[in-house]
Structure formats: structure tokens, C-alpha cells
Amino acid sequence: MSQNLLSGMSAFPLVLLLCILNVPTATHSLPLSPSGYLNNTLPHTESNSLTLKEDIKCYALPFGAFGFISHLMTYWTIALNAEGLSPWRFKKLKHKKRNKLLAVGQLLWTVAMAIYTMANCHRRWQFIVMGFWHLTLSITLSIVSIMGGAENIPDPLYTTGIYAVGVIVGIPGLISLVVETWKVPHVQGLTTTWAAILVVFGFTGTLFSKQLHQSTLVMLPATIAATCAFFSDWLYAAIAGNYWGVPNDAHLNKFISITYFIAKRLPFSLTLNN
């Protein structure tokens, strides 16, 4: 039963993305192909950083410092839960029903809020694909927490594979935003810093490996996957001019952002063995 559940969760992100890409808008009916949708919604020459600053108000997920902290805690929780440990007491977790309920609660709320954000930002394909990327991270966190540790997951593709799909889908949107906002204050500095981090950490592993070529192929993509979420947090903040990262001009978005952050912490409180 658990394996059937994992199979369904692994297929869900791609099915959802196809559905979001085919939501009709008030101005036109969208084609059934994702590529056709992106062509219709891709910003043209009249789009600039000013309109993007207005468009980003649709985005309801945490970004900036708020998102950075959220991602730090999410990665920490995944790493400890994958070892079957409590993220805050470093003791062995017991595979209990209440732990599953907490993980499922996190999954339902964060996925629902990511779907809302993707639909709300349908005029900007970059926000859709990056919202999808955050959705896959939520699913990865839930799978590890529901199964009670990596040793209970039959195939690593159910975790790393799902998030890898999210990164591959989201990276084009991230690059597009960087290109479009290159002259926005701090974007160049943020991008240069991220590139330096990729060079330092991505190639550090090669210094300690005899298999230089293979270690580079592993370390660089892994560093990109691990750090691009943090980079996107600060990129959004620079575009919005809001480095704290909690929406300040839409009560619903503020509610979603805060409750999303709280829901993401549910697996952080999984109960212990004793």
C-alpha cells in the first residue's frame, strides 16, 4: 500500500503542472500543450522590471528572509527525518500514526497553497514553473516524513527524483527572471554571489576525489539543486523590493504565506520513540 501511495505522489506533480498550464484565462483560451501556453504567456517587449514588480504581487509563498529561513528548516528536516531522527532532539523517531498525520497535514496544506499560487500567477510562466518546483520540495518532505526514514522508502527516485524534476522544470523560469531583471538593484550582485557559491562548492568535491570527472558531474548538479531555492528567495525579494518576504499588500497572500510556513514545520515536530 505504501508503495502505491508513493507511486501516486510521484506522478502527481507532472499531472498537476499539465493541468495548471491548461487553465483558461479571461483573455484567451489556452492551447493544450504546455509549450503553446508558455508562448502565449511569455512576456514580450513591453514587459519590463516595473510590470514584473506588479506581477510578483500574485506570489503567495514565502520568499526573501522568510523563504530563506523556511528552506533552511525544510532541508534540515528532510536530512534528519531521512535518518529517522527528530530534527530538534536528534533522537530516533518511531513510525507512528500521528507522525503520518502531521506529514499528511503538511502535504495537503502546502500543496494546496502552491497550486493556488501557480493558478494566481498564471500570467507569468516563470512563477508557474517555480511554484511547481516548490511543490515538489513539499512532496519530497512529506514522503520522507510519512515513511519514517529513508530506509523505509523502496526507491530513492521517490524523493530525490521528484525534487530533481522540480528543479529541472523551475530552473528555466529562474534564469528567465534573472535575464529580465538584470538591471534591477542587487540582482547582479545576488547572481554573482550564487555563481561563486556554485564554483566553490560545486568543484570542492573534485579536490578530494581521484575520479575527477565523475565527482564534478555529481557535485555541480547537487550544489545547483541545493542552493537555487535560496537564490530564488533573494531574487524574488529584489524584484518585489521586499527583503523580509511576507506579502504586505494582500491580506490573503499574507495569510497563505504565514500558514504555509507553519504547515511546512509540521514534520519538524514528529514525535519521538520514547
Side-chain angles (χ1 to χ4, degrees):
M1 180 178 178
S2 296
Q3 190 162 358
N4 291 335
L5 175 62
L6 290 178
S7 299
M9 292 176 70
S10 62
F12 172 74
L14 290 177
V15 174
L16 173 65
L17 182 62
L18 292 176
C19 292
I20 292 292
L21 290 173
N22 285 282
V23 174
T25 65
T27 56
H28 60 275
S29 296
L30 301 179
L32 294 178
S33 66
S35 59
Y37 176 80
L38 297 183
N39 287 335
N40 279 345
T41 55
L42 189 66
H44 301 291
T45 54
E46 67 272 13
S47 295
N48 51 43
S49 59
L50 294 178
T51 59
L52 184 56
K53 186 173 183 178
E54 292 298 315
D55 290 342
I56 202 172
K57 292 179 180 179
C58 69
Y59 197 80
L61 303 182
F63 60 90
F66 198 42
F68 184 82
I69 293 170
S70 179
H71 279 122
L72 276 178
M73 296 182 73
T74 297
Y75 284 141
W76 178 258
T77 304
I78 289 175
L80 272 292
N81 283 357
E83 297 298 322
L85 298 174
S86 165
W88 59 286
R89 292 186 62 182
F90 310 106
K91 293 184 178 181
K92 203 70 178 175
L93 293 169
K94 189 173 181 180
H95 200 46
K96 296 179 179 179
K97 288 185 178 179
R98 59 177 172 268
N99 287 348
K100 289 185 179 181
L101 290 176
L102 286 171
V104 170
Q106 177 266 323
L107 174 68
L108 294 177
W109 185 256
T110 56
V111 166
M113 295 306 97
I115 293 173
Y116 166 82
T117 299
M118 291 166 68
N120 197 38
C121 294
H122 65 271
R123 297 184 186 281
R124 281 278 179 175
W125 69 272
Q126 298 99 322
F127 297 152
I128 294 177
V129 296
M130 293 180 71
F132 172 81
W133 169 13
H134 289 294
L135 182 146
T136 60
L137 181 58
S138 292
I139 294 177
T140 301
L141 171 61
S142 298
I143 290 176
V144 174
S145 303
I146 289 171
M147 299 305 293
E151 70 276 4
N152 298 315
I153 300 174
D155 191 333
L157 287 177
Y158 287 127
T159 51
T160 56
I162 291 175
Y163 185 56
V165 170
V167 173
I168 292 170
V169 171
I171 282 291
L174 184 65
I175 295 173
S176 174
L177 286 179
V178 170
V179 171
E180 188 172 345
T181 62
W182 187 246
K183 293 185 179 181
V184 171
H186 307 302
V187 169
Q188 295 182 28
L190 288 170
T191 306
T192 303
T193 301
W194 183 48
I197 291 173
L198 294 182
V199 171
V200 172
F201 288 95
F203 292 101
T204 295
T206 64
L207 300 177
F208 304 96
S209 174
K210 296 180 180 179
Q211 297 177 324
L212 182 65
H213 180 64
Q214 292 183 7
S215 61
T216 302
L217 290 178
V218 172
M219 286 294 295
L220 187 57
T223 305
I224 292 174
T227 60
C228 56
F230 299 121
F231 173 59
S232 69
D233 289 329
W234 296 113
L235 177 64
Y236 276 13
I239 294 172
N242 176 4
Y243 286 89
W244 170 232
V246 179
N248 52 21
D249 53 1
H251 293 300
L252 178 58
N253 283 2
K254 181 180 292 186
F255 170 80
I256 290 173
S257 180
I258 293 173
T259 55
Y260 180 93
F261 179 91
I262 294 172
K264 208 75 175 286
R265 308 286 75 80
L266 290 178
F268 194 82
S269 57
L270 297 185
T271 53
L272 301 175
N273 193 7
N274 51 3

